Amino acid sequence: MIWWLKAKGAPAVVVVTLAAYLLAILIRQEAIPVPAVVGATGQLLVTQILGIVPVALLLHGIDRGDTITEEVALRHAGRRTVALCGAFALLAVLLAAVVHLLWDRPEALSLARNCIGFLGSALIVRTVLGSGIAAICVAALPLACAAAGRRPGGSAQPWAWPIQEPTSHLGVAEAAFLFIVGCALVLWRNRPAFDPLARTA
């Protein structure tokens, strides 16, 4: 099991996740401007996109080996992948709770929500198009929400969960739903249906 976790890059994911929360403590409300489709130019908090990095690393680790060989060697490869994703989600929530309680950083709550939602979205896309396309889509998701997901007054649209307030129950529910769907798809099909970026021998 330890070898499997190392092969999937789990230690590196933990280190990068810890680094993301450390940055959330330090940078707080730092934002980057994003051209808006509706209204004035919007902003995207750096903490709202930090979750992309550990999720992309986790995706890379999940598909690092040969999935066909793993399905032969492991009877429940999909279950192990879901367990790994669940452990990542639990780590994100625990770190957010610690950071928020000790340093009063609500940004850590949105970071945890986005980590879980990004991973769920990535798992959904991965099931169809592979982890490479999934990582690209997840990287574009918060930018798309910041550009097109704000009302003229500046508040986030209900569907734009990555840019909603840290305490938004709707945002948490949407991220959790995506995560549950993504995990269910991994249990159903651990290999992508079609992977245009897969390396061919």
Side-chain angles (χ1 to χ4, degrees), residues 157-168:
Q157 296 280 3
W159 56 266
W161 56 267
I163 61 170
Q164 288 182 6
E165 292 296 320
T167 56
S168 168

Side-chain angles (χ1 to χ4, degrees), residues 89-107:
L90 181 62
L91 175 66
V93 170
L94 290 177
L95 287 174
V98 169
V99 169
H100 184 56
L101 289 173
L102 294 181
W103 290 282
D104 189 25
R105 297 289 193 269
E107 300 84 12

Side-chain angles (χ1 to χ4, degrees), residues 67-157:
T67 53
I68 298 174
T69 304
E70 282 192 3
E71 285 180 358
V72 174
L74 302 171
R75 291 184 179 179
H76 305 294
R79 290 184 191 173
R80 287 193 178 198
T81 300
V82 168
L84 182 61
C85 293
F88 171 76
L90 181 62
L91 175 66
V93 170
L94 290 177
L95 287 174
V98 169
V99 169
H100 184 56
L101 289 173
L102 294 181
W103 290 282
D104 189 25
R105 297 289 193 269
E107 300 84 12
L109 302 178
S110 64
L111 176 56
R113 176 198 66 207
N114 288 2
C115 281
I116 293 169
F118 290 156
L119 180 56
S121 303
L123 292 175
I124 293 169
V125 177
R126 173 189 173 270
T127 303
V128 181
L129 297 173
S131 60
I133 299 292
I136 294 169
C137 290
V138 167
L141 179 60
L143 295 173
C145 288
R150 293 197 184 275
R151 297 186 176 103
S155 61
Q157 296 280 3

